Amino acid sequence: MIKPLGKRVVIKVAETEQTTKSGFVLPSSAKEKEQFGEIIEVGPEIVAEDNVAVGDQVFFKNYSGTEVEFDGVEYLIIEHKDLLAKIEHKDLLAKIEK
């Protein structure tokens, strides 16, 4: 697994299907990446006061972090300061692929 350094987290970005009004399903390469996902790992400088942990679903800033691929899965390594909010809405959480 990927273990981030410092005050960073590893996020598995959500992949949602997008359908046009005419019913065509857009491939992920034809649309912008989602700005939310699940925290998979946290760095050693993340403390309880940072209010994030493995398993949390979060929104993050657009164009932040570094995309990496590990074992055929794409992840985003992002600094804690670029996290915007935790997600607690069940309908939105269902869209995040585990």
Side-chain angles (χ1 to χ4, degrees):
M1 188 48 154
I2 302 169
K3 187 69 177 170
L5 302 174
K7 204 165 187 138
R8 293 180 180 86
V9 298
V10 177
I11 296 176
K12 183 174 181 192
V13 179
E15 294 185 24
T16 58
E17 274 189 4
Q18 187 174 6
T19 306
T20 64
K21 290 180 182 179
S22 57
F24 292 104
V25 176
L26 296 177
S28 59
S29 60
K31 61 180 180 153
E32 267 190 56
K33 293 213 178 232
E34 296 294 344
Q35 289 179 261
F36 62 93
E38 181 178 352
I39 295 178
I40 304 299
E41 287 287 336
V42 297
E45 293 179 18
I46 298 288
V47 294
E49 290 81 22
D50 292 325
N51 201 26
V52 294
V54 172
D56 286 347
Q57 283 79 27
V58 294
F59 283 108
F60 51 86
K61 290 182 181 178
N62 201 12
Y63 305 113
S64 59
T66 301
E67 294 179 2
V68 296
E69 186 174 326
F70 183 75
D71 284 343
V73 179
E74 289 189 22
Y75 298 98
L76 183 66
I77 300 174
I78 190 170
E79 292 190 38
H80 176 266
K81 67 179 182 151
D82 291 329
L83 298 176
L84 300 174
K86 285 169 111 176
I87 302 170
E88 295 181 355
H89 192 272
K90 292 179 184 177
D91 292 338
L92 191 55
L93 294 178
K95 294 181 180 182
I96 298 175
E97 294 182 352
K98 299 232 177 191

